[in-house]
């Protein structure tokens, strides 16, 4: 028989079994980028190299990594209550967390439905929108409107309203009855803008064209990211979201904000809805709710929308939707501890204060060879690099590899676009370090 330690050693060195998500598996397994532990702004590789986190995990670890209060809350919760049924029963922390999230959300966004990821949050919101019209006797409203270059996770609802071709083209005909607004990005008009670009509010009027084509009576909801993160940090043009809200109101269409990235401080407010003074009917969140420590997502609904479901016999379920792990005790404990940290360290206001410095540091990349655009908003930046002739995405990939292996820095890529969005505890010196390293990486891959 193989001695247990030898078996363990063999297993931990075997990279074959794990099929990595959204990753070129063969390239990864040739040169693995392994992270063994983390603290605050840094990761540590198995051999102890400190690597600066320029992406808050994957846009989620907004408080920084392995913060003591979150770690302790998860440990306490695991010892006290591992799980209780999510349907027909509940545990106290689920109510506490829902109340805290509702208190952070603007206006009458007061009712919180929990799930486990951003993808589930999006599919939940789309289903709530369809069901809402149904219970009000407007069951013809079945169309869902997304936007080109939108990312709404990987569920069938999310990829259908999403606007990223590779996320859609392999997966059949997707949901029927979906249409898309045009993307809000135009390099000629917007290149090297700090914050929201002046040009582009008129693109919201495309919704009127879609309404004219399909008729408002067939349209349930419009879903957009207030700032599109995954396709390279595309802040909304000034006035765009306000215009979208007005057109939705005019036609009785629900407006859904996907704030999976923008929620919990990324743009200097609890939610982007607050930054832009626009209240959606449904707001999706995930990631930052637990600072990435335990999977969790959710949807915040306006009170009136929830009330529309509260009819019929009291013993009957009002919304036939939910997950075994909705409001999981460990996620709720992590969420409460993360919200305490955001409050106690005033991290949303900190992000707002740092925004101009962050933008300035990012703009130092302007003028480097091959840098086509730099965009910033809140504590996030998108940097477009020129593609290698005939090999789109290769330069971006090389940049990520060099950042990790040569510069001890984690950044994100989408094709040849780099994204930078560090935890909100990032210091000014670390902001400078991130962009100095990024500049060296860019020079090396050109
Ligand atoms: C705006 C947005 N929606 C949804 C998702 C999907 O979240 P998850 O990966 O947790 O399913 C993401 C992930 O990055 C996102 O950025």
């Amino acid at each position: 028989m193989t001695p247990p330690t030898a078996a363990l050693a063999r297993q931990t060195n075997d990279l074959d079994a794990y099929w990595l998500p959204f990753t070129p598996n063969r390239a990864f397994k040739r040169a693995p980028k392994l992270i063994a532990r983390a603290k605050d702004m840094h990761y540590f590789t198995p051999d102890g190299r400190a690597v600066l986190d320029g992406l808050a995990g994957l846009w989620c670890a907004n408080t920084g990594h392995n913060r003591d209060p979150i770690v302790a809350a998860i440990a306490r919760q695991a010892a006290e209550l591992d799980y209780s049924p999510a349907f027909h029963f509940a545990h106290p922390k689920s109510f506490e967390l829902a109340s805290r999230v509702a208190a952070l959300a603007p206006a009458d966004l007061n009712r919180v439905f929990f799930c486990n990821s951003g993808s589930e949050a999006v599919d939940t919101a789309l289903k709530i929108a369809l069901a809402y019209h149904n219970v009000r006797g407007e069951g013809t409203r079945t169309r869902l409107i997304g936007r080109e270059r939108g990312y709404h996770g990987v569920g069938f609802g999310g990829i259908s309203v999403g606007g990223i071709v590779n996320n859609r083209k392999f997966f059949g005909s997707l949901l029927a009855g979906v249409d898309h607004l045009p993307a809000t990005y135009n390099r000629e008009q917007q290149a090297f803008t700090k914050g929201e670009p002046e040009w582009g509010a008129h693109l919201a009027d495309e919704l009127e064209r879609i309404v004219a084509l399909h008729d408002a009576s067939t349209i349930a909801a419009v879903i957009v990211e207030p700032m599109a993160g995954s396709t390279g940090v595309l802040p909304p043009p000034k006035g765009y979201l306000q215009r979208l809200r007005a057109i939705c109101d005019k036609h009785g269409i629900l407006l859904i904000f996907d704030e999976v990235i923008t929620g919990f401080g990324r743009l200097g407010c609890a939610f982007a809805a607050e930054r832009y003074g626009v209240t959606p009917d449904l707001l999706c969140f995930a990631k930052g709710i637990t600072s990435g420590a335990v999977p969790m997502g959710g949807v915040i609904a306006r009170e009136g929308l929830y009330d529309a479901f509260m009819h019929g016999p009291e013993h009957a379920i009002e919304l036939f939707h939910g997950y075994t792990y909705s409001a999981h005790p460990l996620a709720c404990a992590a969420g409460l501890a993360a919200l305490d940290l955001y409050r106690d360290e005033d991290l949303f206001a900190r992000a707002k204060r740092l925004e101009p410095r962050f933008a300035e540091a990012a703009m130092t990349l302007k003028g480097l060879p091959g840098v086509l655009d730099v965009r910033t908003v809140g504590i996030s930046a998108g940097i477009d690099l020129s593609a290698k002739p005939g090999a789109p995405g290769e330069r971006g990939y090389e940049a990520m590899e060099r950042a990790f292996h040569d510069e001890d820095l984690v950044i994100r890529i989408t094709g040849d676009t780099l994204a930078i969005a560090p935890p909100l505890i990032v210091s000014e010196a670390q902001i400078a370090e991130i962009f100095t390293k990024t500049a060296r990486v860019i020079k090396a891959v050109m």
Side-chain angles (χ1 to χ4, degrees), residues 304-319:
L305 202 146
Y306 167 90
D307 290 342
F309 287 88
M310 298 302 128
H311 295 292
E314 291 223 346
H315 71 274
I317 292 167
E318 297 105 355
L319 177 68

Side-chain angles (χ1 to χ4, degrees), residues 58-59 116-120 122 151-154 225 227 229-230 258-261 286-287 296:
L58 203 43
W59 312 86
N116 309 287
S117 67
S119 299
E120 288 181 359
V122 166
Y151 181 63
H152 300 291
V154 294
E225 303 155 89
M227 174 275 273
S230 295
D258 181 349
E259 295 226 28
V260 165
I261 277 180
K287 296 189 186 270
M296 178 174 242

Side-chain angles (χ1 to χ4, degrees), residues 5 74 99 102 138 142 169 173 195 225 227 234 258 362 365 383:
T5 47
I74 295 169
S99 302
E138 285 198 65
T142 57
K169 72 179 185 186
S173 51
E225 303 155 89
M227 174 275 273
L234 311 177
D258 181 349
L365 304 177
I383 301 134

Side-chain angles (χ1 to χ4, degrees), residues 12-285:
T12 51
N13 284 323
D14 183 352
L15 303 183
D16 287 344
Y18 180 36
W19 189 344
L20 287 87
F22 273 126
T23 300
N25 275 253
R26 288 159 302 160
F28 179 94
K29 288 173 186 184
R30 263 198 306 278
K33 298 185 292 298
L34 289 181
I35 293 164
R37 63 187 181 86
K39 188 68 189 157
D40 300 332
M41 282 295 302
H42 287 92
Y43 294 119
F44 297 88
T45 60
D47 55 356
R49 196 160 56 89
V51 178
L52 188 59
D53 181 6
L55 196 74
L58 203 43
W59 312 86
C60 53
N62 292 356
T63 67
H65 293 276
N66 284 70
R67 299 297 306 274
D68 293 343
I70 300 178
V71 173
I74 295 169
R76 268 197 313 273
Q77 186 61 44
E80 187 178 298
L81 173 69
D82 55 351
Y83 180 77
S84 65
F87 309 158
H88 296 289
F89 298 86
H91 63 91
K93 287 197 179 73
S94 55
F95 294 99
E96 196 184 338
L97 184 60
S99 302
R100 294 274 301 271
V101 169
L104 280 178
D108 56 347
L109 282 162
N110 282 336
R111 298 290 180 259
V112 183
F113 193 102
F114 287 115
C115 54
N116 309 287
S117 67
S119 299
E120 288 181 359
V122 166
D123 280 16
T124 296
L126 298 176
K127 287 178 72 178
I128 290 176
L130 293 171
Y132 167 76
H133 291 300
N134 219 301
V135 297
R136 288 164 55 255
E138 285 198 65
T140 57
R141 288 189 180 265
T142 57
R143 285 186 189 282
L144 300 166
I145 312 299
R147 192 168 60 188
E148 293 162 0
R149 293 192 72 168
Y151 181 63
H152 300 291
V154 294
F156 272 103
I159 59 172
S160 301
V161 293
I164 302 178
V165 64
N166 282 331
N167 291 0
R168 296 163 53 87
K169 72 179 185 186
F170 298 101
F171 306 109
S173 51
L174 312 183
L175 284 190
V178 169
D179 212 334
H180 289 78
L181 289 161
T184 60
Y185 180 65
N186 180 311
R187 184 172 296 146
E188 238 169 64
Q189 301 289 342
Q190 299 171 342
F192 300 103
T193 301
K194 293 180 190 166
E196 295 73 14
E198 298 289 339
W199 184 94
H202 65 281
L203 294 169
D205 297 341
E206 287 294 305
L207 183 55
E208 287 284 17
R209 187 187 55 76
I210 291 172
V211 169
L213 176 66
H214 298 296
D215 197 74
S217 65
T218 70
I219 301 176
V222 171
I223 180 166
V224 292
E225 303 155 89
M227 174 275 273
S230 295
T231 50
V233 182
L234 311 177
K238 283 185 184 146
Y240 174 88
L241 294 171
Q242 289 81 346
R243 225 140 136 175
L244 214 51
R245 176 73 273 184
I247 299 170
C248 285
D249 284 346
K250 180 173 153 199
H251 296 292
I253 298 167
L254 295 178
L255 179 61
I256 305 171
F257 276 0
D258 181 349
E259 295 226 28
V260 165
I261 277 180
T262 54
F264 303 100
R266 182 58 48 200
L267 301 194
C269 298
F271 295 104
E274 187 185 327
R275 178 174 172 121
Y276 298 115
V278 176
T279 306
D281 300 293
L282 293 160
L283 187 157
C284 304
F285 66 87

